[in-house]
Each structure stands twice: as structure tokens, then as C-alpha cells.
Amino acid sequence: MQLFVFICAAAMILGGAVGVILRSHPVHAALSLILTLFGVAVLFVAQNAHFLAAVQVIVYAGAIVVLFLFVIMLLGVDKADSLRIDPVKVQRPLAAVVGVGLMGLIGAAIVQGRSTLAQRGTGIDTASGGAGRDSNIRQLATDLFSNHVFAFEITSVLLVIAVVGTVLLARRPRSSGASDGESVIRQNSGAK
Amino acid sequence: MIVAAGTFTAPSIDWFALAPLLVLLVGGLVLLVTASFTPQWPKHLYAYATVALGLAAMVVAFVQWHAITRDGPKLLVGNAVSYDHFSMFGIITICIGLSLSAMVTDDFLRREGMEGPEIYGLYLMAAVGGIVMVMSNDLIVLFLGLETLSISLYVLAASNRRRAESQEAGIKYFVLGGFSSAFFLYGIALIYGGTGSTNFNRILTAFDSVPLQRKDSLVLVGVALLLVGLGFKVSAAPFHFWAPDVYQGSPTPVTAFMASVGKAAAFAALFRVFVVALPNWKDDWRPVVWVLAILTLLVGSISAVVQTNVKRMLAYSSISHAGFILIGLEAAGHSGASTRSGMPSSMMYLMIYSVLVIGTFAVVAVVGRTGDGATDLGSFRGLSRQKPWLATALTVFLLAQAGVPLTSGFIAKFGVIEAAVDEHSYALATIAMVSAVIGAFLYLRILISVWLADAEVGDEKREAMHIPISTGAAILLCVGFTIYVGVNPEWLIQASDRVVLVAVPVVGG
């Protein structure tokens, strides 16, 4: 049963991931991403990490992909981009070879490292080991606010940078009138 | 929930030990918030506030340096952060870079009509990220510091909205940087899988306490992926392709910040991970670092020679400097952190190089004139006749970068090569010296344009160069440091020797 669930979830994840890079329409790619994220949620459930599974669905599949779709719609990227243009001819076959090589390397390492993984306990005890219905949340909270409290707080700096960066990049340049956005675009096309 | 709260003990936080970080973080937030509620501040004020914060953090770091000498190093906040001489040396380097870059940025922003607090806010946040990287004792903390620094740099690279090159630099840096962060993160995941922890001390002890072989494939692949991720950030050779485009396209003071603070923090992280957390695998990563160092040295110095844009030349020269610092890492891979070795000389190299590179780019920013476009070699022709003092300063910086004696650059290069020779890495030392000679050609080429060639035709039609006050002060400080350290290096060498005390203190709890 466990193996069956794992195979189904893995197929969802991989299918979604392949879809993200193969679909040329950005909306379809974003929808494929949802499939991947749901697959990860299923794997979390299979590991008894129910809280993480719920967060995965709500935050990633719910909020983040919806944001992607908003951006796609607002930017008006509703037409498929052509992938025919290939400035350097060898780069695609080369990328495929390197990609397959890297995947093989990491796959081999994981297969060979199975014994190590088996010896290791899990970082957080699974819910079945803890007591009560909330043990998942409780253990996560304890870990977050004890071992990882510094990392937790530093994450807020990242959010500050995201806000400042967005303001800086999205605002129109000052003191040059309304036509400035156009002039940047013109420069851009001129540079190519 | 209430029951759980009773049994929970929060980790103790030593606020004083985190003070340099907090000064910059709180200062940056206050700067951003007050600036957004008040009208445009009088000129220089944003920059001076940033410089004051940088200096304050640096003073605190000096105080802490002495406190550590007295009381010894320790780990903070649940073993996530280490408080030792290495951290303090890195923090001082970052604060010097931050303050000098802010001084150069001040006049630059006014000239380009981009005056505002956001750039300084991002500088401060990036410095916070750099400090987190330098102090980190946990791979997750390190990754967050890396992202804080990198995302600030992506935005800063694209911050000149009027120039398409700046936008292009930002997007290139962002895409490639995101790619390398993915490598880094996957490396963390595999090391966690192999050792059961992301904490440096636990990774170190995992090797002794559990039946974990050195040939454990999970950790080995993790180490390789971490090296790829950090190699990108320090622009080591096969991962250096972003550097010339980004250095050239970014606003010049941002390039200076990137080359000083960005590089210092990334190298400090590299040392933390490889020398502190992964010394048990040093026989595996050292040959890889050896190859990376040689590639970086040769690619950097040889490609620099054929460039015609000075910012691009300096980007390649920065790659070749990265090669020199990798020599220090290779040497540290022989002896570990315990003896006089590659690590102190590399940290000293980073401090010296940060000052040099900011001085050089400050001169380039002045010569670039409004629009930040006149950075090809031709624009530097005849500089000595228009601005003899500026030309003299540039000469000092370039000679120091080439490693001429009586400048700080000589001390830096001598340190790492000495460390390599001490560890019998003669091939590496020889190649380093050869590439220093090749690199010298590049610097001489710029100097010949500056001193011997006549001004470019049509140069008199361009606006006159003028050296604004705070950029001038920054250049003067950099020249002073370069020559003072070159003539009188003992104090810096002695201070950097303390850096060998990288924390491997007992894990508490």
C-alpha cells in the first residue's frame, strides 16, 4: 500500500514537473505546477506530516500558483513563446547530455547512500511517535522556536528586501516625465 | 498548547554578541521607515547615515574582537551562530566595504538623478545578509544569509532604471543566481540526508559518532553541489560567466559593493562550510578546489587581457583574485584551521582586496561621467593630464592589484602563495605567480592609456570630470590604507593570524 501511494505521488510529481517545462503556454505550465505540489502534499501525508501537507496545499498550490496566474494575466503573456530560436546550435543537445549525466550521478549517489539513510533517524519524530492530535504542529513549533529561531527571524529580512526591491524596481524613474517607461523600452529594443 | 508552553525552553540570546548585525538591521529599517515618511533629506544625509551605521557596527565588532580574545569564542542562539575572531574579521571587512561603497554611491546617485534611501537600505540589508553568512554555524542560516545578500544584489544591479544595461545585468544575475541557489539548496538537502543535521558541529561529529564512511556518496554529492553553489557566488572559473556582464552593466558603485562585500561574504561562507563543517572530507574536496583555483586564475588573467572595457577588465581581474583566494582555501584544506595557513592569509586578502576594488571602481565611477557609460579604455586616455591626482590614485590601486611591493596587494598575494608553498603545493604557487604576471599586463595596459596616450578625439566635447567630495574622500582613504598596509603590514598580519581560531567549541544541548 505504501509503495503504491509512493509510486502514484511520484508519478504526479514527475508528470507535473515535466509539464512545467514542456508546455509552451505559461498558464498550462503553471497548472502543471499544481500537480507537482499536490504530489508533494500526498508524500507528506504518507510520512504522517499532515500539517505540512495542509500547508503545502494552502500556501503553494493555493496562494503561490494563483499569484503566478495573476502575474501571467497582468503581464499579458497569453501567447505561446516560440522555442525555435536557438542562438548557439550545440547548447540544447549539450544541456540534455549534462542534465541526464547529473541526474544519473545524483540518482546513483542516492541508491548507494540508501544504507546511510536507513541508519538515520528522522529529524522530527513522526506524529505516530508523538502524543495527541496536535503533536505535528507542536513539534514543528518547538523546533522552529528553539533550534531554528535565528533562521526564522532572519527570514523576515528577506521579506523586507522583497518589499524594498519591488518598490525600487516597479516605480517609474523620477523627474523625467511620463514618457520614461517608453524610453526604457525603446532602449531595450535598441540594445538587442 | 498551554501544556506545551510550560515545557518549552527558549534558547538564550546574547544580544550584545549579535550587536553588529542588529545595528545594521535596525538602522536600515529605521532609515527606510523614516525616509518614507519625510520629504527628501538634504544632500549627503542618506549616505552619511549609512556610513555612520557601518562605522558603528565596525566599532562594536572591534570591541567584541577584544572580548573574544579575553573570553574565548562561543556559539549563540541555539548553536546557529558562531561568535569568534573569524566572524569579527569578516564583519569588519563587510563594514569597511559598506561604508566606502556608500560614500562613492552618494555622489553617483545625485549625478544620475536617482537620489533616494532605497539603495542605502538595500546596502544595509545586503550587509546584514553578509554578516549572517560570515557568522553562520548552520547550513540553513547560511542559506538565508546568502539569499538576503544575493536578492539585494540582484535588485541593486538593476537599480538604474534608465539604462538597459543595468536591467540586463539584473535579470542575468537573477536567473543565474537563482539557478546556483538551487544547487546549493540541493547540496544542503543531501548533506542533511547523509549526516542527519544542518548544524556545522553536528555535521562534524556525525563523522565520528555514527558509522558514516568518508566515501558516503550522499555527503560527497552534497559537498560537490555546495561547492558549485558557492563557486558561483565567488565567481570561480567554470561558474564565472555572469561576472563580466553583471559587473559591466551594474551601476559602478554597486559593482564596487558586489566585488567587495559580496565576494568577502561568499568566501567567508566557503571557508566556514569547508574548513569548519566538512574537514573530514577534505581529501575529497581539496583536489577539486585545486583544479578550480588553477582554472580561475588562468581564465581570469588571460581573458582580462583581450577586453576593451575597463569595468569588464576589472571583472576578469576580480575572477583572477578569486583564484588567489581559492589557493588559500586549498592550503587550508591541507592543514585545517589549526595552524598558520591558508585561512588567515585569505581573510587578509579579502579585506585588502575589498578596499582596493572599491577605490578602483570609485575612480571608474568618476571617469564614467553622467550616464555611467564612458568606461571603455579610450575614455581613460589622457586622464593624467586632466586629473593628475585621480590618475595617481588609479595607478596606486592598479599596481596594488598587480601585487607590486610596498602596496597592500603584494602583502595579500605573498600571504596566499606563502601558504601554498608551506603546504608544498608548488604547482599551484607557480601557476599563481605566472597568472599574476599575465594579470600585470592588463593593469599596465590601463596605466599606459592613463599616462602615455593622448586624450581621445572628441573627449573635450564631453562634460568635464569632477571629483565630488565624498567620492574623493573614499578614494583618499583607500589610497591611504593601500600604502599604509603595504609599508607597515605587521599589525594586519598579526590580527589575521588570530582568525585561525575558527569555532569548533563544544555543542551545548
Side-chain angles (χ1 to χ4, degrees), chain A residues 154-186:
Chain A
I154 282 299
T155 314
S156 59
V157 181
L158 270 179
L159 296 180
V160 172
I161 290 170
V163 173
V164 178
T166 315
V167 169
L168 186 63
L169 292 182
R171 195 180 53 193
R172 290 193 167 199
R174 232 178 292 163
S175 74
S176 332
S179 65
D180 221 280
E182 285 168 33
S183 75
V184 168
I185 294 165
R186 220 177 300 132

mmCIF file of all heavy atoms in Angstrom, chain A residues 154-186:
data_model
loop_
_atom_site.group_PDB
_atom_site.id
_atom_site.type_symbol
_atom_site.label_atom_id
_atom_site.label_comp_id
_atom_site.label_asym_id
_atom_site.label_seq_id
_atom_site.Cartn_x
_atom_site.Cartn_y
_atom_site.Cartn_z
ATOM 1 N N ILE A 154 15.545 35.638 10.731
ATOM 2 C CA ILE A 154 16.285 36.214 9.605
ATOM 3 C C ILE A 154 15.438 36.183 8.330
ATOM 4 O O ILE A 154 15.601 37.013 7.430
ATOM 5 C CB ILE A 154 17.627 35.451 9.434
ATOM 6 C CG1 ILE A 154 18.626 35.916 10.487
ATOM 7 C CG2 ILE A 154 18.218 35.644 8.066
ATOM 8 C CD1 ILE A 154 18.975 37.375 10.412
ATOM 9 N N THR A 155 14.504 35.233 8.262
ATOM 10 C CA THR A 155 13.634 35.179 7.092
ATOM 11 C C THR A 155 12.889 36.499 6.898
ATOM 12 O O THR A 155 12.606 36.898 5.766
ATOM 13 C CB THR A 155 12.615 34.040 7.265
ATOM 14 O OG1 THR A 155 13.317 32.899 7.709
ATOM 15 C CG2 THR A 155 11.934 33.718 5.971
ATOM 16 N N SER A 156 12.608 37.194 8.020
ATOM 17 C CA SER A 156 11.873 38.450 7.890
ATOM 18 C C SER A 156 12.686 39.493 7.126
ATOM 19 O O SER A 156 12.124 40.338 6.431
ATOM 20 C CB SER A 156 11.507 38.977 9.275
ATOM 21 O OG SER A 156 12.674 39.183 10.013
ATOM 22 N N VAL A 157 14.025 39.409 7.240
ATOM 23 C CA VAL A 157 14.859 40.349 6.483
ATOM 24 C C VAL A 157 14.645 40.143 4.986
ATOM 25 O O VAL A 157 14.597 41.094 4.206
ATOM 26 C CB VAL A 157 16.341 40.168 6.856
ATOM 27 C CG1 VAL A 157 17.204 41.155 6.109
ATOM 28 C CG2 VAL A 157 16.535 40.326 8.333
ATOM 29 N N LEU A 158 14.509 38.865 4.594
ATOM 30 C CA LEU A 158 14.256 38.563 3.179
ATOM 31 C C LEU A 158 12.987 39.247 2.711
ATOM 32 O O LEU A 158 12.917 39.785 1.601
ATOM 33 C CB LEU A 158 14.112 37.057 2.999
ATOM 34 C CG LEU A 158 15.364 36.263 2.712
ATOM 35 C CD1 LEU A 158 15.021 34.807 2.590
ATOM 36 C CD2 LEU A 158 15.966 36.741 1.415
ATOM 37 N N LEU A 159 11.947 39.228 3.561
ATOM 38 C CA LEU A 159 10.674 39.841 3.162
ATOM 39 C C LEU A 159 10.841 41.349 3.009
ATOM 40 O O LEU A 159 10.295 41.954 2.086
ATOM 41 C CB LEU A 159 9.594 39.515 4.186
ATOM 42 C CG LEU A 159 9.269 38.024 4.291
ATOM 43 C CD1 LEU A 159 8.202 37.788 5.328
ATOM 44 C CD2 LEU A 159 8.818 37.484 2.958
ATOM 45 N N VAL A 160 11.625 41.959 3.929
ATOM 46 C CA VAL A 160 11.870 43.403 3.819
ATOM 47 C C VAL A 160 12.518 43.715 2.483
ATOM 48 O O VAL A 160 12.128 44.644 1.766
ATOM 49 C CB VAL A 160 12.770 43.885 4.978
ATOM 50 C CG1 VAL A 160 13.175 45.329 4.763
ATOM 51 C CG2 VAL A 160 12.060 43.731 6.292
ATOM 52 N N ILE A 161 13.515 42.896 2.125
ATOM 53 C CA ILE A 161 14.209 43.145 0.859
ATOM 54 C C ILE A 161 13.257 42.995 -0.312
ATOM 55 O O ILE A 161 13.295 43.777 -1.267
ATOM 56 C CB ILE A 161 15.384 42.175 0.717
ATOM 57 C CG1 ILE A 161 16.445 42.545 1.711
ATOM 58 C CG2 ILE A 161 15.964 42.229 -0.679
ATOM 59 C CD1 ILE A 161 17.503 41.527 1.814
ATOM 60 N N ALA A 162 12.373 41.996 -0.229
ATOM 61 C CA ALA A 162 11.418 41.810 -1.323
ATOM 62 C C ALA A 162 10.569 43.066 -1.498
ATOM 63 O O ALA A 162 10.366 43.539 -2.620
ATOM 64 C CB ALA A 162 10.535 40.599 -1.030
ATOM 65 N N VAL A 163 10.114 43.653 -0.371
ATOM 66 C CA VAL A 163 9.276 44.853 -0.457
ATOM 67 C C VAL A 163 10.072 46.023 -1.039
ATOM 68 O O VAL A 163 9.650 46.675 -2.000
ATOM 69 C CB VAL A 163 8.722 45.212 0.942
ATOM 70 C CG1 VAL A 163 8.003 46.538 0.887
ATOM 71 C CG2 VAL A 163 7.811 44.119 1.439
ATOM 72 N N VAL A 164 11.265 46.260 -0.465
ATOM 73 C CA VAL A 164 12.073 47.393 -0.931
ATOM 74 C C VAL A 164 12.424 47.216 -2.406
ATOM 75 O O VAL A 164 12.336 48.154 -3.207
ATOM 76 C CB VAL A 164 13.351 47.529 -0.078
ATOM 77 C CG1 VAL A 164 14.213 48.661 -0.583
ATOM 78 C CG2 VAL A 164 12.993 47.754 1.362
ATOM 79 N N GLY A 165 12.819 45.995 -2.753
ATOM 80 C CA GLY A 165 13.198 45.730 -4.136
ATOM 81 C C GLY A 165 12.054 45.956 -5.095
ATOM 82 O O GLY A 165 12.226 46.550 -6.170
ATOM 83 N N THR A 166 10.858 45.510 -4.708
ATOM 84 C CA THR A 166 9.696 45.698 -5.582
ATOM 85 C C THR A 166 9.420 47.181 -5.775
ATOM 86 O O THR A 166 9.170 47.637 -6.897
ATOM 87 C CB THR A 166 8.462 45.025 -4.963
ATOM 88 O OG1 THR A 166 8.841 43.747 -4.507
ATOM 89 C CG2 THR A 166 7.363 44.908 -5.970
ATOM 90 N N VAL A 167 9.474 47.937 -4.658
ATOM 91 C CA VAL A 167 9.220 49.376 -4.763
ATOM 92 C C VAL A 167 10.235 50.027 -5.690
ATOM 93 O O VAL A 167 9.895 50.811 -6.576
ATOM 94 C CB VAL A 167 9.271 50.027 -3.361
ATOM 95 C CG1 VAL A 167 9.270 51.535 -3.467
ATOM 96 C CG2 VAL A 167 8.110 49.547 -2.526
ATOM 97 N N LEU A 168 11.485 49.636 -5.501
ATOM 98 C CA LEU A 168 12.558 50.262 -6.290
ATOM 99 C C LEU A 168 12.413 49.937 -7.774
ATOM 100 O O LEU A 168 12.568 50.808 -8.635
ATOM 101 C CB LEU A 168 13.913 49.769 -5.770
ATOM 102 C CG LEU A 168 15.151 50.411 -6.375
ATOM 103 C CD1 LEU A 168 15.173 51.880 -6.043
ATOM 104 C CD2 LEU A 168 16.395 49.748 -5.833
ATOM 105 N N LEU A 169 12.099 48.681 -8.084
ATOM 106 C CA LEU A 169 12.099 48.284 -9.489
ATOM 107 C C LEU A 169 10.785 48.600 -10.185
ATOM 108 O O LEU A 169 10.757 48.819 -11.390
ATOM 109 C CB LEU A 169 12.393 46.787 -9.614
ATOM 110 C CG LEU A 169 13.799 46.371 -9.227
ATOM 111 C CD1 LEU A 169 13.985 44.890 -9.442
ATOM 112 C CD2 LEU A 169 14.822 47.141 -10.028
ATOM 113 N N ALA A 170 9.687 48.625 -9.431
ATOM 114 C CA ALA A 170 8.396 48.819 -10.089
ATOM 115 C C ALA A 170 8.046 50.292 -10.259
ATOM 116 O O ALA A 170 7.218 50.638 -11.078
ATOM 117 C CB ALA A 170 7.306 48.116 -9.292
ATOM 118 N N ARG A 171 8.707 51.164 -9.473
ATOM 119 C CA ARG A 171 8.371 52.574 -9.565
ATOM 120 C C ARG A 171 8.955 53.169 -10.831
ATOM 121 O O ARG A 171 10.023 52.777 -11.287
ATOM 122 C CB ARG A 171 8.949 53.286 -8.352
ATOM 123 C CG ARG A 171 8.381 54.655 -8.142
ATOM 124 C CD ARG A 171 8.996 55.274 -6.937
ATOM 125 N NE ARG A 171 10.463 55.223 -7.049
ATOM 126 C CZ ARG A 171 11.268 55.469 -6.040
ATOM 127 N NH1 ARG A 171 10.791 55.723 -4.852
ATOM 128 N NH2 ARG A 171 12.572 55.441 -6.203
ATOM 129 N N ARG A 172 8.236 54.150 -11.374
ATOM 130 C CA ARG A 172 8.794 54.804 -12.553
ATOM 131 C C ARG A 172 9.940 55.694 -12.138
ATOM 132 O O ARG A 172 9.893 56.296 -11.081
ATOM 133 C CB ARG A 172 7.717 55.651 -13.226
ATOM 134 C CG ARG A 172 6.685 54.798 -13.861
ATOM 135 C CD ARG A 172 5.837 55.623 -14.757
ATOM 136 N NE ARG A 172 5.060 54.725 -15.583
ATOM 137 C CZ ARG A 172 4.495 55.096 -16.700
ATOM 138 N NH1 ARG A 172 4.599 56.334 -17.102
ATOM 139 N NH2 ARG A 172 3.807 54.237 -17.410
ATOM 140 N N PRO A 173 10.954 55.814 -12.985
ATOM 141 C CA PRO A 173 12.055 56.722 -12.653
ATOM 142 C C PRO A 173 11.520 58.131 -12.464
ATOM 143 O O PRO A 173 10.667 58.590 -13.211
ATOM 144 C CB PRO A 173 12.969 56.645 -13.878
ATOM 145 C CG PRO A 173 12.625 55.367 -14.520
ATOM 146 C CD PRO A 173 11.188 55.103 -14.231
ATOM 147 N N ARG A 174 12.042 58.809 -11.434
ATOM 148 C CA ARG A 174 11.549 60.137 -11.092
ATOM 149 C C ARG A 174 12.079 61.181 -12.072
ATOM 150 O O ARG A 174 13.023 60.955 -12.808
ATOM 151 C CB ARG A 174 12.050 60.476 -9.686
ATOM 152 C CG ARG A 174 10.947 60.926 -8.749
ATOM 153 C CD ARG A 174 11.557 61.189 -7.398
ATOM 154 N NE ARG A 174 12.025 59.943 -6.783
ATOM 155 C CZ ARG A 174 12.887 59.936 -5.770
ATOM 156 N NH1 ARG A 174 13.379 61.054 -5.306
ATOM 157 N NH2 ARG A 174 13.264 58.796 -5.239
ATOM 158 N N SER A 175 11.473 62.348 -12.048
ATOM 159 C CA SER A 175 11.979 63.586 -12.645
ATOM 160 C C SER A 175 12.234 63.511 -14.144
ATOM 161 O O SER A 175 13.051 64.222 -14.667
ATOM 162 C CB SER A 175 13.280 64.038 -11.963
ATOM 163 O OG SER A 175 14.352 63.203 -12.368
ATOM 164 N N SER A 176 11.577 62.589 -14.859
ATOM 165 C CA SER A 176 11.775 62.621 -16.303
ATOM 166 C C SER A 176 10.451 62.518 -17.041
ATOM 167 O O SER A 176 10.422 62.183 -18.213
ATOM 168 C CB SER A 176 12.677 61.497 -16.783
ATOM 169 O OG SER A 176 13.536 61.135 -15.787
ATOM 170 N N GLY A 177 9.357 62.788 -16.375
ATOM 171 C CA GLY A 177 8.082 62.829 -17.078
ATOM 172 C C GLY A 177 7.503 61.453 -17.321
ATOM 173 O O GLY A 177 8.080 60.434 -16.974
ATOM 174 N N ALA A 178 6.347 61.444 -17.965
ATOM 175 C CA ALA A 178 5.588 60.211 -18.081
ATOM 176 C C ALA A 178 6.111 59.301 -19.175
ATOM 177 O O ALA A 178 5.836 58.113 -19.185
ATOM 178 C CB ALA A 178 4.127 60.536 -18.355
ATOM 179 N N SER A 179 6.898 59.850 -20.094
ATOM 180 C CA SER A 179 7.297 59.040 -21.246
ATOM 181 C C SER A 179 8.477 58.137 -20.905
ATOM 182 O O SER A 179 9.021 57.490 -21.772
ATOM 183 C CB SER A 179 7.694 59.957 -22.405
ATOM 184 O OG SER A 179 8.850 60.672 -22.034
ATOM 185 N N ASP A 180 8.870 58.149 -19.611
ATOM 186 C CA ASP A 180 10.099 57.456 -19.291
ATOM 187 C C ASP A 180 10.025 55.950 -19.469
ATOM 188 O O ASP A 180 10.972 55.327 -19.941
ATOM 189 C CB ASP A 180 10.492 57.773 -17.848
ATOM 190 C CG ASP A 180 11.969 58.005 -17.747
ATOM 191 O OD1 ASP A 180 12.693 57.011 -17.708
ATOM 192 O OD2 ASP A 180 12.371 59.168 -17.755
ATOM 193 N N GLY A 181 8.877 55.400 -19.090
ATOM 194 C CA GLY A 181 8.726 53.970 -19.260
ATOM 195 C C GLY A 181 8.939 53.561 -20.707
ATOM 196 O O GLY A 181 9.610 52.582 -21.000
ATOM 197 N N GLU A 182 8.394 54.400 -21.608
ATOM 198 C CA GLU A 182 8.565 54.088 -23.027
ATOM 199 C C GLU A 182 10.027 54.156 -23.431
ATOM 200 O O GLU A 182 10.500 53.336 -24.202
ATOM 201 C CB GLU A 182 7.764 55.072 -23.875
ATOM 202 C CG GLU A 182 6.274 54.801 -23.841
ATOM 203 C CD GLU A 182 5.506 55.957 -24.441
ATOM 204 O OE1 GLU A 182 6.032 56.588 -25.358
ATOM 205 O OE2 GLU A 182 4.392 56.219 -23.951
ATOM 206 N N SER A 183 10.745 55.169 -22.884
ATOM 207 C CA SER A 183 12.125 55.325 -23.334
ATOM 208 C C SER A 183 12.976 54.139 -22.894
ATOM 209 O O SER A 183 13.874 53.728 -23.610
ATOM 210 C CB SER A 183 12.712 56.635 -22.814
ATOM 211 O OG SER A 183 13.003 56.513 -21.449
ATOM 212 N N VAL A 184 12.630 53.581 -21.705
ATOM 213 C CA VAL A 184 13.385 52.402 -21.273
ATOM 214 C C VAL A 184 13.141 51.262 -22.246
ATOM 215 O O VAL A 184 14.048 50.558 -22.673
ATOM 216 C CB VAL A 184 12.981 51.997 -19.839
ATOM 217 C CG1 VAL A 184 13.524 50.632 -19.521
ATOM 218 C CG2 VAL A 184 13.496 53.013 -18.856
ATOM 219 N N ILE A 185 11.857 51.107 -22.644
ATOM 220 C CA ILE A 185 11.531 50.026 -23.567
ATOM 221 C C ILE A 185 12.268 50.237 -24.887
ATOM 222 O O ILE A 185 12.822 49.317 -25.475
ATOM 223 C CB ILE A 185 10.009 49.980 -23.789
ATOM 224 C CG1 ILE A 185 9.339 49.581 -22.491
ATOM 225 C CG2 ILE A 185 9.661 49.005 -24.889
ATOM 226 C CD1 ILE A 185 7.866 49.830 -22.470
ATOM 227 N N ARG A 186 12.303 51.501 -25.325
ATOM 228 C CA ARG A 186 12.978 51.774 -26.586
ATOM 229 C C ARG A 186 14.462 51.430 -26.490
ATOM 230 O O ARG A 186 15.024 50.825 -27.390
ATOM 231 C CB ARG A 186 12.785 53.248 -26.965
ATOM 232 C CG ARG A 186 12.539 53.425 -28.449
ATOM 233 C CD ARG A 186 12.287 54.890 -28.763
ATOM 234 N NE ARG A 186 11.128 55.423 -28.067
ATOM 235 C CZ ARG A 186 11.157 56.568 -27.400
ATOM 236 N NH1 ARG A 186 12.271 57.275 -27.310
ATOM 237 N NH2 ARG A 186 10.079 57.022 -26.791
#
